[in-house]
Amino acid sequence: MPLHETIDGAPPAVSLPFTNLMEYAPRDIESKWQRWWKDQRTYQVQNDTSKPKFYILNMFPYPSGAGLHVGHPLGYIASDIVARYKRLKGFNVLNPMGYDSFGLPAEQYAIQTGIHPADSTEQNIRRYREQLDNIGFCFDWEREVRTSDPAFYHWTQWIFMRLFEHYFDLEAGKALRIKDLIARFGENGNKDVRAVCDEDTPQFTAAEWQQMSEKEQQQLLLKYRLTFPEESYVNWCPAMGTVLSNDEVKDGVSERGGYPVERKLMKQWSMRITAYADRLLDGLNDIDWPDSIKEQQRNWIGRSQGASVRFSVDGHPDASIDVFTTRVDTIYGATFMVLAPEHALVSRITTNAQRAEVDAYVRWAASRSEIERMSEVKKVTGANTGAFAINPFTGEKIPVYIADYVLASYGTGAVMAVPSGDQRDWNFATHFNLPIVPILDAQQNLDQAADPTKEGRYINSGMIDGLTYDEAVPKLIDWLETQGLGKGKVQYKLRNAVFSRQRYWGEPVPVYWKDDVPCLIDEKDLPLVLPKVDKYLPTETGEPPLARAEGWRYFPEPGGSGYEYELSTMPGWAGSSWYFYRYMDPHNDKAFCSPEAVNYWQTVDWYIGGSEHAVGHLLYSRFWNHFLFDLGLVPEREYAKKLTNQGMIQGLSSIAFRAKECFYEEYLWIKVLQPFFKEYGPMQIPGSRLEESYTYDFAFETNDLVIEVVSWKQTDKIETIRQAAEADSKRLMILFMEELIDQINNPGHFAGKIREALESRARFFMTEKGPASEILFVSHNLTAKYSPSCFSELHVDISLVDNNVLDLEKARQLPMFQRANFKVDASGHFTCNQEVEKMSKSKFNVVNPDDMVAQYGADCFRMYEMFLGPIEVAKPWDTKGITGVYSFLRRFWGLFVGENNTWLPTDEAPDRDELRILHNCIKKVTEDIERFSMNTCVSHFMILTNELRTLKSSKRAILEPAVVMLAPFAPHIAEELWHRLGHESSVCDAAWPVLNPEHLKADTVTYPVQINGKLRGDIEVAADAKPADVEALVLQQDFVLRNLDGKPVRKVIVVPGRIVNIVV
RNA sequence: GCCCGGGUGGUGGAAUGGUAGACACGCAGGACUUAAAAUCCUGUGACCGUUGAGGUCGUACGGGUUCGAGUCCCGUCCCGGGCACCA
């Protein structure tokens, strides 16, 4: 054993007695066993089919340059504990880790520095790995995956190719091969094909299909493929030079960086996720995921049941407007129609008289950014096309408007407006003076607002007059369907997912362009590796960075000039949509995962990660999995049966208060001038106006003295004031702000000066000596006396603060505190305010796990992370509390190693108390791990340790099972003690102790006794006493009789083993 | 506005409808020490009373169900998150 060092790294003190050599020394233990585990390959996982499998998975991280803070490993630690626990329970456990290593930050860094993203990513990964290794995880690193590794993205591209080769068949309810679709087109055209396809897919016969050119056929097939290029309005982010998917845009700006986002028409690869909308929705019922995630996914998919209705357009026999409505029952109240400005019919049906107005509105609407549109939701805008639509039920003509409250991208981009029932329609009708017709007798106050009620019976509603909602809807839909004018319909909010990014650092799309038709490259040419480029920026002509790659062209056959590759890359969510299968078989170069491996590991049993991926990664990965399932490549529709979100660990920020100008005035008034007021009479309070151009800060009227607070630097201002004071025939005292700062802890200094000024007749007072300080910080416990607006709040690095007290020595060395002075409290301390905030560099509240491990050891760090509270809940990190866990580990160690390095455990048989303590712990810890309650597990270990110490008990029969139970939480100390107990193999391969309920039983039971639900005392009875005996005994107790006070007992409730309640 | 969570000591948090505050931090007092740190012991929801009794209140607020409610039901308030011209 190496010599003991104190935990903070100081050299061992000479005076330390020899006995301390064997104190708990996490540093030595941890590095020793980490090495041993590596040498023994303790964590290597076999695809061993003889044991039951357990697959636990963490969402893999993006390796950012900032490294890990203490919040990141929370989920990893929890899953590590479960993984080790399951292994002790006899499972073959897969607990892998890897990196989501494509991403924008590395590319931005490349643009700035020219360093290839692969290099900076490699470096970041190395740092992550070091930090992870420090914590003692049981990851099998031989299974590590990286999405940016060509051997990995080979299979991302392969899956993309399969998507391209499939369409979604509505009859089969699953993806089928395009090949088979082509065959069907050749036989019957597409008349009988029920498949998910573009809205504008034409109908054609077999003959028409056969007459089409190859190119025409290919372009038609794109309307069916599950991934396809299309011209569409996308979220274009000019600042990032790329498009973003809907989930990457929040409140009209990019989620990362907060840059503005525009609508732009572009040709983009798209994923037909809408085909799976229903299955993705239904699948949510079969998985044990947090309700909030499921709810967000349901919202995002946004299924609504309604009807589509066809309105003809007056004077345009060839045009009709389809609308989607969820309230077809309100159709008799439809008094106008509104189209989205982008609607295809707008220019066709607009009358000449209205054309100028409509064109102007369309142009205006197109020019508006998302953020403008969203922030001006309340403003009613629109234009009348002059055209009229005909209500199919009434034959009435209703005007057609355009307005951008109707979204082109939802439904058909047109609505029938029912102002009596819909508030937006009501607003529009009121603004444009359109009729509002009540349709239900229960509608109220229609002159104030719309009333969307479904109560009552219909009025003004033709065929449904007098009916209720439930009667009306089927009748209307029936009529529409028999007339061929509409049908019941389901509409989704979910859009197809944009799959192209105009960026470099992503998977190349395995496609080349031949005569404007996208073609897949040959499978043997996978992976299509990212080419080298000279710069990571778009070309001068605005093409993506890949256009810079010289000679990067595809040659399907030798010779020729080749074809251009697709130049956009895949988005961040491509690799993460299937990576969980790669861990099962990470080195396979024949398939993304062998059938044997996937049959053994099946799916993820427990998935752990942050809730921020609710609709991004977690929805797209379900989509890809459903697709892979359709192809028979994976065994289940849903890849993760159970999902847990770990809560954020927040930081405790320290805030220092910097004085603003008005502070000095308030300070002078409160601390210095008030006594003078009594003595020297009336005085203007701050802010009084003495003459037009000037406001003196303070003025003693009786002495003609004015006081002005200015900065040393404001020489001009000093001169102006001086002249003004002359003119006003005031005596002037200049107090320099900087002097106030210098002398802030000495208010007497100013009192003296002011007294001097008041009592003299001199015209002008000013300090001669230059001040030393320029900035003032005020101790937080003093700020309450001043108005909050006197301070700006500044984050201070938490390493400078202890117990809210700032270390002034250290602080003064920082640039932010140079030329600063501190106003300290009565005890000479400068205190900061504490705030709970997200942990981030910019808030200077980041706690690095490396520091925690260096100071307390990995075992302690792991246990403290767990001890903080439930995994799922957000909670602040407070380093102070870690000492509790550290002293627990020392005390646990102390059960084994005594003074003078004596080995304490004996082979004596344990007594009943000791067995009860152990088995109580077995019961609690086993139950709590199963329900993922790690914080209470740590408490149970503390209780066991405290109780054994009280008994001064150290028996192998008790301690050995305790070591095994502790191993998942604190693997290093457990491994050390396990070996000292005489074992040769790893504690990881021990067996989880088995609960014997016999040991939990006691001879006697203490019943708390309540009278009318109020606790009055307790009583000890034999454990096997019958309820009747307990009742009899209880009623004899002194404290019971005293409390009953002679009142008759109505009933006695005895809950066996629990409680007694006497009702009087 | 709609939909999810959640409100328990000074702090983090415990509590299958059955003794509210486990376990820790912090704080206070004590022991050890020349001293400090570390360590160990004791106390610690509030209030009244005792100074070896005991009592009252208490889990955001107001009701209800129950022998018994932090826990279940109804209503209100507050905090966090998500969605939001989605027809």
Side-chain angles (χ1 to χ4, degrees):
Chain A
M1 268 242 122
L3 273 181
H4 171 76
E5 289 183 356
T6 49
I7 48 166
D8 59 2
V14 184
S15 62
L16 272 179
F18 174 72
T19 54
N20 277 347
L21 274 172
M22 279 310 162
E23 262 192 24
Y24 172 52
R27 263 197 183 181
D28 303 334
I29 291 174
E30 291 178 358
S31 55
K32 173 168 114 196
W33 292 111
Q34 283 177 9
R35 231 177 300 124
W36 190 76
W37 291 326
K38 203 172 169 190
D39 294 345
Q40 302 283 316
R41 303 174 89 181
T42 306
Y43 300 129
Q44 199 189 17
V45 182
Q46 302 297 335
N47 289 1
D48 174 355
T49 48
S50 70
K51 279 191 200 167
K53 67 98 188 184
F54 189 82
Y55 184 4
I56 188 161
L57 178 66
N58 290 282
M59 290 182 189
F60 60 171
Y62 173 77
S64 82
L68 297 170
H69 65 62
V70 291
H72 294 116
L74 181 73
Y76 306 158
I77 295 170
S79 56
D80 198 68
I81 290 167
V82 173
R84 290 169 180 272
Y85 164 75
K86 284 283 179 183
R87 178 167 173 176
L88 290 167
K89 282 280 225 178
F91 287 85
N92 186 29
V93 180
L94 182 55
N95 176 38
M97 183 49 75
Y99 305 97
D100 191 11
S101 47
F102 274 131
L104 285 181
E107 183 161 352
Q108 297 292 45
Y109 187 69
I111 290 169
Q112 286 162 24
T113 62
I115 293 173
H116 195 283
D119 297 337
S120 58
T121 301
E122 173 67 38
Q123 210 171 6
N124 291 348
I125 286 177
R126 223 174 295 139
R127 167 112 186 85
Y128 262 61
R129 178 65 190 275
E130 257 169 46
Q131 288 189 293
L132 291 171
D133 281 349
N134 241 335
I135 304 171
F137 292 119
C138 65
F139 298 130
D140 176 1
W141 286 107
E142 291 175 39
R143 290 176 183 256
E144 178 198 301
V145 304
R146 301 178 185 188
T147 55
S148 61
D149 179 354
F152 180 93
Y153 67 67
H154 179 141
W155 301 106
T156 311
Q157 292 170 334
W158 184 86
I159 295 170
F160 175 90
M161 290 168 73
R162 299 295 83 78
L163 283 155
F164 187 77
E165 287 171 343
H166 286 79
Y167 75 102
F168 194 89
D169 192 277
L170 286 163
E171 249 145 57
K174 59 186 273 195
L176 297 179
R177 294 192 302 177
I178 285 281
K179 243 190 206 162
D180 299 334
L181 187 67
I182 294 171
R184 287 176 72 183
F185 287 169
E187 280 162 35
N188 290 310
N190 70 349
K191 145 167 83 58
D192 298 326
V193 172
R194 285 188 54 234
V196 177
C197 57
D198 289 357
E199 289 281 322
D200 61 356
T201 308
Q203 279 235 344
F204 53 86
T205 61
E208 285 169 324
W209 170 256
Q210 278 147 11
Q211 277 156 27
M212 286 182 206
S213 68
E214 164 78 19
K215 184 175 174 182
E216 282 167 335
Q217 287 184 343
Q218 284 302 326
Q219 262 154 1
L220 207 96
L221 288 172
L222 291 177
K223 296 179 183 299
Y224 288 87
R225 296 185 190 273
L226 285 175
T227 184
F228 56 98
E230 67 166 352
E231 285 258 308
S232 65
Y233 281 98
V234 293
N235 306 303
W236 172 253
C237 180
M240 295 166 86
T242 188
V243 300
L244 299 170
S245 62
N246 289 344
D247 63 283
E248 290 169 324
V249 180
K250 292 260 149 78
D251 302 321
V253 298
S254 68
E255 192 184 23
R256 276 173 185 254
Y259 303 112
V261 170
E262 297 169 2
R263 276 180 303 167
K264 190 175 175 187
L265 193 65
M266 284 179 79
K267 193 166 205 172
Q268 295 294 317
W269 283 87
S270 204
M271 286 273 163
R272 213 178 290 280
I273 186 174
T274 49
Y276 284 88
D278 252 332
R279 278 173 55 180
L280 290 171
L281 201 57
D282 293 344
L284 291 173
N285 300 325
D286 306 330
I287 48 180
D288 179 12
W289 285 22
D291 287 335
S292 65
I293 300 275
K294 290 190 188 186
E295 200 52 36
Q296 282 180 61
Q297 295 208 350
R298 286 194 188 104
N299 273 336
W300 192 257
I301 296 167
R303 180 189 155 108
S304 41
Q305 186 97 39
S308 75
V309 183
R310 175 159 298 176
F311 286 67
S312 48
V313 184
D314 190 38
H316 292 270
D318 54 335
S320 64
I321 301 168
D322 286 327
V323 301
F324 173 76
T325 174
T326 52
R327 289 293 302 274
V328 70
D329 59 301
T330 63
I331 195 158
Y332 286 93
T335 53
F336 56 99
M337 186 155 255
V338 189
L339 308 185
E342 300 95 330
H343 196 281
L345 276 181
V346 171
S347 64
R348 237 169 96 196
I349 62 172
T350 299
T351 59
N352 288 335
Q354 290 303 109
R355 187 160 305 275
E357 188 188 332
V358 166
D359 284 352
Y361 185 77
V362 170
R363 269 199 308 277
W364 175 80
S367 73
R368 293 222 298 169
S369 71
E370 274 301 290
I371 202 157
E372 277 172 332
R373 217 175 60 79
M374 289 172 63
S375 61
E376 291 170 17
V377 159
K378 291 272 133 43
K379 224 164 97 184
V380 177
T381 62
N384 189 349
T385 62
F388 289 88
I390 295 167
N391 185 323
F393 284 89
T394 61
E396 270 172 42
K397 293 205 277 182
I398 56 174
V400 179
Y401 281 75
I402 59 169
D404 73 351
Y405 84 89
V406 175
L407 305 175
S409 58
Y410 184 72
T412 59
V415 300
M416 62 176 212
V418 182
S420 66
D422 183 294
Q423 191 57 44
R424 297 155 309 186
D425 297 343
W426 189 95
N427 293 344
F428 196 83
T430 309
H431 186 261
F432 285 96
N433 228 343
L434 293 158
I436 298 171
V437 179
I439 40 156
L440 276 159
D441 56 11
Q443 283 180 320
Q444 287 175 341
N445 303 327
L446 290 180
D447 52 332
Q448 313 275 305
D451 184 350
T453 184
K454 294 175 182 173
E455 306 289 310
R457 293 180 183 275
Y458 291 93
I459 52 172
N460 302 322
S461 291
M463 71 167 77
I464 57 167
D465 270 346
L467 300 185
T468 63
Y469 175 82
D470 289 334
E471 295 160 352
V473 172
K475 187 167 180 183
L476 292 166
I477 290 184
D478 246 26
W479 188 86
L480 282 170
E481 285 180 356
T482 51
Q483 300 291 312
L485 290 170
K487 55 177 190 244
K489 194 181 173 188
V490 175
Q491 187 68 47
Y492 298 94
K493 228 160 76 176
L494 184 70
R495 299 274 76 89
N496 283 329
V498 177
F499 197 68
S500 299
R501 297 293 181 273
Q502 287 63 42
R503 304 290 299 209
Y504 175 75
W505 190 231
E507 300 88 344
V509 176
V511 160
Y512 65 94
W513 290 85
K514 185 174 165 183
D515 190 19
D516 264 353
V517 172
C519 305
L520 294 181
I521 66 170
D522 199 288
E523 226 169 85
K524 72 174 164 30
D525 297 319
L526 289 180
L528 175 59
V529 179
L530 261 180
K532 287 217 174 344
V533 293
D534 57 340
K535 268 194 241 170
Y536 304 96
L537 289 169
T539 63
E540 283 69 27
T541 53
E543 285 189 297
L546 287 188
R548 294 177 175 275
E550 270 180 54
W552 194 57
R553 294 177 77 76
Y554 189 61
F555 297 88
E557 57 277 319
S561 55
Y563 297 98
E564 183 173 58
Y565 280 117
E566 167 63 38
L567 295 176
S568 63
T569 51
M570 299 190 196
W573 53 268
S576 61
S577 290
W578 72 277
Y579 74 108
F580 29 89
Y581 290 114
R582 192 63 180 169
Y583 288 128
M584 297 175 180
D585 193 8
H587 308 296
N588 193 328
D589 58 359
K590 301 283 181 294
F592 72 96
C593 176
S594 73
E596 296 76 40
V598 79
N599 276 334
Y600 177 61
W601 292 109
Q602 295 273 314
T603 54
V604 176
D605 293 286
W606 204 340
Y607 196 20
I608 293 152
S611 56
E612 66 273 19
H613 300 107
V615 291
H617 160 58
L618 288 174
L619 190 61
Y620 296 128
S621 56
R622 290 183 59 225
F623 159 44
W624 278 34
N625 195 74
H626 273 262
F627 172 71
L628 294 173
F629 173 79
D630 285 353
L631 270 54
L633 297 169
V634 303
E636 301 265 358
R637 287 166 191 267
E638 299 294 339
Y639 70 89
K641 287 275 138 59
K642 183 182 172 72
L643 171 73
T644 300
N645 291 132
Q646 88 269 31
M648 197 190 353
I649 291 191
Q650 295 142 315
L652 280 179
S653 308
S654 282
I655 312 276
F657 290 78
R658 189 174 68 190
K660 293 200 240 171
E661 241 179 278
C662 65
F663 166 81
Y664 302 105
E665 291 166 24
E666 283 197 20
Y667 169 79
L668 277 174
W669 171 242
I670 295 168
K671 283 289 193 189
V672 182
L673 289 173
Q674 280 191 31
F676 292 105
F677 174 77
K678 288 197 192 94
E679 210 176 322
Y680 290 88
M683 162 192 158
Q684 296 293 130
I685 57 158
S688 68
R689 265 184 98 71
L690 289 189
E691 46 101 34
E692 284 290 339
S693 57
Y694 242 63
T695 308
Y696 295 113
D697 291 332
F698 302 96
F700 283 87
E701 289 183 349
T702 49
N703 295 53
D704 287 334
L705 179 71
V706 295
I707 301 176
E708 196 66 27
V709 183
V710 295
S711 165
W712 178 256
K713 291 175 187 157
Q714 295 169 295
T715 41
D716 298 358
K717 189 174 174 188
I718 296 167
E719 197 43 45
T720 322
I721 297 167
R722 201 172 167 164
Q723 284 163 17
E726 291 274 335
D728 295 344
S729 35
K730 302 286 181 202
R731 298 191 300 121
L732 176 65
M733 178 175 193
I734 296 278
L735 281 179
F736 287 112
M737 217 182 274
E738 289 82 356
E739 191 187 0
L740 272 157
I741 298 171
D742 281 344
Q743 298 288 336
I744 196 74
N745 296 315
N746 178 18
H749 174 79
F750 298 100
K753 286 196 154 193
I754 289 166
R755 178 169 297 278
E756 206 178 291
L758 281 166
E759 286 172 355
S760 93
R761 297 304 311 159
R763 307 291 311 170
F764 185 62
F765 305 86
M766 189 171 86
T767 319
E768 301 94 29
K769 214 165 58 182
S773 309
E774 282 171 8
I775 308 167
L776 178 69
F777 288 88
V778 180
S779 184
H780 173 244
N781 50 14
L782 302 175
T783 55
K785 292 178 191 149
Y786 306 94
S787 20
S789 60
C790 291
F791 305 100
S792 38
E793 302 187 357
L794 262 75
H795 283 86
V796 180
D797 195 300
I798 49 166
S799 64
L800 302 176
V801 179
D802 182 29
N803 244 332
N804 285 339
V805 176
L806 182 69
D807 184 329
L808 294 179
E809 290 284 307
K810 283 195 216 157
R812 281 187 225 275
Q813 289 163 20
L814 290 184
M816 77 180 274
F817 291 119
Q818 261 165 27
R819 305 192 64 81
N821 197 14
F822 299 90
K823 179 164 171 54
V824 295
D825 65 16
S827 55
H829 288 138
F830 182 89
T831 63
C832 297
N833 192 23
Q834 211 173 47
E835 245 174 76
V836 175
E837 292 180 302
K838 196 176 166 171
M839 209 174 262
S840 89
K841 252 184 173 172
S842 64
K843 297 193 166 70
F844 299 105
N845 61 0
V846 173
V847 181
N848 188 328
D850 301 348
D851 297 341
M852 293 299 111
V853 170
Q855 216 176 122
Y856 300 100
D859 287 336
C860 183
F861 173 68
R862 290 165 61 106
M863 287 193 98
Y864 185 55
E865 286 248 338
M866 294 299 101
F867 190 62
L868 279 179
I871 307 290
E872 299 90 334
V873 177
K875 59 244 163 207
W877 176 270
D878 183 2
T879 302
K880 277 206 289 285
I882 201 169
T883 55
V885 174
Y886 189 67
S887 80
F888 152 71
L889 285 169
R890 293 174 52 124
R891 286 151 65 92
F892 188 79
W893 179 263
L895 293 173
F896 296 79
V897 183
E899 278 182 38
N900 302 314
N901 195 21
T902 48
W903 182 243
L904 300 175
T906 65
D907 287 330
E908 264 178 275
D911 64 22
R912 297 190 53 168
D913 276 344
E914 291 161 337
L915 284 168
R916 185 184 43 74
I917 291 166
L918 172 68
H919 283 264
N920 204 31
C921 188
I922 296 174
K923 179 171 188 287
K924 293 278 178 56
V925 171
T926 309
E927 283 171 3
D928 287 356
I929 292 183
E930 294 280 354
R931 66 187 179 102
F932 217 36
S933 172
M934 304 306 177
N935 55 329
T936 49
C937 287
V938 179
S939 304
H940 300 316
F941 288 123
M942 289 172 170
I943 292 167
L944 172 117
T945 306
N946 292 347
E947 289 184 340
L948 290 180
R949 277 176 73 95
T950 310
L951 295 179
K952 299 208 176 352
S953 157
S954 283
K955 291 177 185 165
R956 166 187 279 271
I958 302 297
L959 294 178
E960 203 166 271
V963 166
V964 175
M965 284 195 288
L966 188 66
F969 295 83
H972 309 84
I973 189 176
E975 194 76 88
E976 172 74 19
L977 293 171
W978 182 250
H979 284 256
R980 289 194 186 205
L981 282 164
H983 298 275
E984 297 289 322
S985 61
S986 171
V987 70
C988 297
D989 293 316
W992 188 257
V994 178
L995 172 67
N996 181 352
E998 284 302 309
H999 296 312
L1000 298 180
K1001 288 183 183 157
D1003 294 339
T1004 60
V1005 179
T1006 305
Y1007 281 91
V1009 179
Q1010 295 181 331
I1011 295 173
N1012 281 344
K1014 278 202 161 69
L1015 185 72
R1016 293 300 166 179
D1018 42 40
I1019 176 174
E1020 198 173 314
V1021 297
D1024 54 358
K1026 303 222 163 34
D1029 305 338
V1030 176
E1031 178 174 340
L1033 206 60
V1034 161
L1035 290 175
Q1036 292 166 18
Q1037 297 298 308
D1038 273 356
F1039 73 89
V1040 173
L1041 295 170
R1042 205 180 337 119
N1043 277 289
L1044 286 177
D1045 209 16
K1047 278 172 269 177
V1049 173
R1050 276 233 309 262
K1051 198 175 172 189
V1052 178
I1053 290 140
V1054 179
V1055 184
R1058 278 283 178 194
I1059 202 166
V1060 179
N1061 193 10
I1062 303 168
V1063 188
V1064 297

